[in-house]
């Protein structure tokens, strides 16, 4: 049957409702701005200028580049949703995929935006999407508008380049007044977040000097999640997965004691130490996922020093299910298993660095032996914690018992409970901790119990009362069977 046998009718999307849907894709302002900068990098820009001028709800955000720019036809094509087919082959430097980012990222933050562009040898051109206009005319129609003549002259002075201007930021600034100091404070905080996000997402471009990003005229500095060059980093072996086109490389960052307070804070990154552990997935060197275990593990304090780089080419977009926002990547099943195995090794190393502060100190001052208050012990395959009888404070009380000494010792014990060690073991091997007095000779337990029982009875308690008092005392509560030895 040929297609001509079918009756057909057009069912075109409704422009204004479609654009409203674009607005709900879920960009944050930082991911939206990063998506606009992706386009500048794909257009081989060397400089990108991000600027904003606070005017309450009339604030504008402007992103200009000195990339190849577009002529009139190219700009109109660029403004179309779906300007390129997602399956179209892209060059290895191209950060785009769907032909949507410019529109979806912009509409996620603003009701109106203009794009001004100049291609070498062509006139400067500009077109704008205005959601209010689309609503009025109910059509996919651009208007020829720029909110700033200065922006036109700026681009005109360049050989080539593009400026994107967002000028109705209803998502973050609706109904805010210019003189509202609180709103200004919040906006500055948001922009500080944007800055940190860009320093992270584009750090490899910034480090290699491939691009410069000027943020209100200040040059952004790369934030390297792997602290390359710092002392005390452990670097795992580089592995090639897939068809050899995926590179994986793990880093264990230095223990806190190896970094100055400022270095430690800086290394924590935009989301903080705990959040920033995990895989860092780069696509064409642009960071897509910054610290995520991809559902393979949970984020836990003691793994926070593990960060693992994954390098992907844009030819794997489909297999890794890269999304429009360039913020999600899902490895194919086989690769997941390989990543899990690789990550386990790095994570183990990370735990060791996190825990072995004592060893570090020992290495630093090799003539002194590290003396902990608590020791980890194994008994019949179960884990227990013991007070170190060789610790000087413990020795002192054993040799010279006094009330003061005893109190001091209790304080030392309380203050040094090995919480990280216990929690790590508990989450790694949940069943491994022993039960009080498990597999020990119970003579000491029974003797103590009997002594206390007799005392209570001699003080006039009846057997049942004495028993219930003792059953509320740890660890007698765990051994009610022993009462039978001396009760009738
Ligand atoms: N700053 C720019 N300089 C030159 N051309 C640009 C610029 N921004 C966008 N374009 C052109 O507009 C097209 C559409 O951009 P858009 O971001 O919507 O989609 P994309 O980058 O192709 O794919 P994706 O949806 O994955 O971002 C680009 O493919 C590019 O040809
Ligand atoms: Mg794009």
């Amino acid at each position: 049957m040929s297609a001509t046998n079918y009756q057909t009718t057009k069912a075109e999307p409704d422009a204004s409702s479609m654009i409203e849907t674009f607005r709900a894709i879920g960009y944050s302002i930082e991911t939206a701005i990063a998506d606009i900068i992706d386009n500048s990098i794909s257009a081989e820009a060397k400089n990108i200028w991000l600027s904003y001028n606070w005017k309450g709800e009339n604030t504008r955000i402007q992103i200009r580049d000195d990339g190849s720019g577009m002529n009139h036809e190219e700009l109109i094509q660029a403004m179309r949703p779906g300007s390129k087919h997602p399956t179209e082959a892209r060059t290895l430097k191209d950060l785009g995929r769907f032909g949507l980012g410019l529109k979806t990222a912009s509409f996620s933050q603003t009701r109106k935006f203009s794009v001004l562009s100049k291609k070498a040898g062509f006139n400067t051109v500009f077109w704008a999407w205005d959601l209010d206009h689309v609503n009025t005319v109910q059509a996919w129609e651009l208007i020829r508008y720029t909110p700033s003549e200065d922006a036109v002259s700026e681009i005109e002075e360049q050989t080539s380049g593009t400026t994107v201007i967002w000028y109705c930021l209803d998502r973050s600034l609706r109904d805010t007044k210019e003189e509202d100091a609180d709103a200004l404070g919040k906006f500055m905080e948001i922009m500080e977040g944007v800055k940190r996000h860009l320093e992270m997402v584009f750090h490899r471009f910034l480090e290699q000097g491939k691009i410069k990003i000027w943020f209100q005229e200040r040059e952004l500095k790369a934030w390297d999640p792997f602290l390359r060059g710092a002392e005390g980093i452990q670097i795992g072996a580089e592995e090639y997965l897939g068809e050899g086109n995926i590179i994986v490389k793990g880093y264990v960052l230095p223990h806190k004691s190896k970094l100055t307070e400022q270095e430690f804070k800086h290394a924590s990154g935009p989301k903080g130490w705990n959040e920033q552990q995990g895989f860092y997935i780069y696509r064409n060197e642009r960071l897509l996922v910054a610290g995520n275990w991809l559902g393979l593990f949970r984020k836990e304090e003691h793994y926070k020093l593990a960060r693992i780089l994954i390098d992907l080419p844009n030819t794997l977009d489909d297999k890794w299910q890269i999304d429009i926002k360039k913020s999600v990547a899902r490895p194919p099943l086989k690769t997941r298993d390989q990543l899990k195995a690789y990550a386990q090794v790095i994570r183990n190393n990370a735990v060791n660095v996190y825990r072995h502060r004592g060893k570090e100190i020992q290495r630093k001052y090799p003539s002194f032996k590290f003396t902990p208050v608590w020791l980890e012990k194994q008994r019949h395959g179960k884990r227990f914690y013991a007070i170190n009888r060789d610790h000087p404070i413990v020795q002192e009380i054993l040799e010279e018992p006094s009330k003061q000494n005893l109190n001091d010792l209790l304080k030392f014990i309380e203050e040094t409970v090995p919480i990280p060690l216990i929690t790590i073991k508990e989450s790694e091997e949940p069943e491994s901790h022993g039960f009080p007095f498990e597999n020990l000779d119970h003579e000491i337990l029974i003797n103590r119990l009997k002594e206390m029982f007799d005392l209570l009875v001699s003080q006039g308690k009846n057997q049942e009362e004495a028993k219930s008092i003792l059953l509320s005392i740890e660890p007698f509560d765990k051994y009610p069977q022993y009462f039978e030895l001396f009760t009738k």
Side-chain angles (χ1 to χ4, degrees), residues 255-312:
H255 189 275
K256 190 176 177 184
S257 60
K258 286 269 174 91
L259 301 171
T260 64
E261 205 167 310
Q262 206 189 355
E263 284 169 334
F264 184 75
K265 190 158 175 281
H266 183 69
S268 72
K271 291 182 284 171
W273 269 105
N274 205 39
E275 272 304 303
Q276 299 263 180
Q277 62 181 284
F279 293 107
Y280 282 69
I281 306 181
Y282 294 80
R283 170 177 175 271
N284 294 2
E285 305 211 305
R286 192 278 211 201
L287 188 58
L288 295 189
V289 172
N292 192 316
W293 289 118
L294 304 173
L296 297 171
F297 313 99
R298 270 186 303 159
K299 281 186 177 167
E300 283 167 287
E301 165 75 12
H302 47 280
Y303 292 117
K304 70 179 183 189
L305 301 178
R307 294 180 184 173
I308 304 177
L309 173 149
I310 302 178
D311 254 334
L312 301 178

Side-chain angles (χ1 to χ4, degrees), residues 39 43 65 78 83-84 90 96-103 326:
N39 289 340
D65 68 48
S83 50
K84 277 189 190 159
R90 301 257 185 169
R97 168 55 60 202
F98 300 99
L100 272 176
L102 172 64
K103 286 74 65 174
K326 315 292 178 332

Side-chain angles (χ1 to χ4, degrees), residues 203 223-229 233 249-251 253 278 280 282 307-310:
H203 79 94
W223 179 78
D224 173 16
F226 310 110
L227 261 72
R228 279 170 285 209
I233 307 171
K249 195 169 179 177
Y251 293 82
L253 304 195
Y280 282 69
Y282 294 80
R307 294 180 184 173
I308 304 177
L309 173 149
I310 302 178

Side-chain angles (χ1 to χ4, degrees), residues 436-476:
F437 286 89
E438 187 177 343
N439 283 318
L440 271 192
D441 182 353
H442 284 187
E443 199 185 330
I444 168 179
L445 185 71
I446 296 168
N447 287 346
R448 277 292 186 165
L449 187 61
K450 173 94 175 61
E451 258 173 45
M452 292 178 75
F453 184 82
D454 289 346
L455 183 70
L456 286 168
V457 171
S458 75
Q459 285 169 350
K461 299 273 184 282
N462 70 33
Q463 290 203 346
E464 269 319 299
E465 282 168 346
K467 188 173 161 187
S468 40
I469 291 172
L470 291 174
L471 274 177
S472 63
I473 297 175
E474 201 181 9
F476 302 133

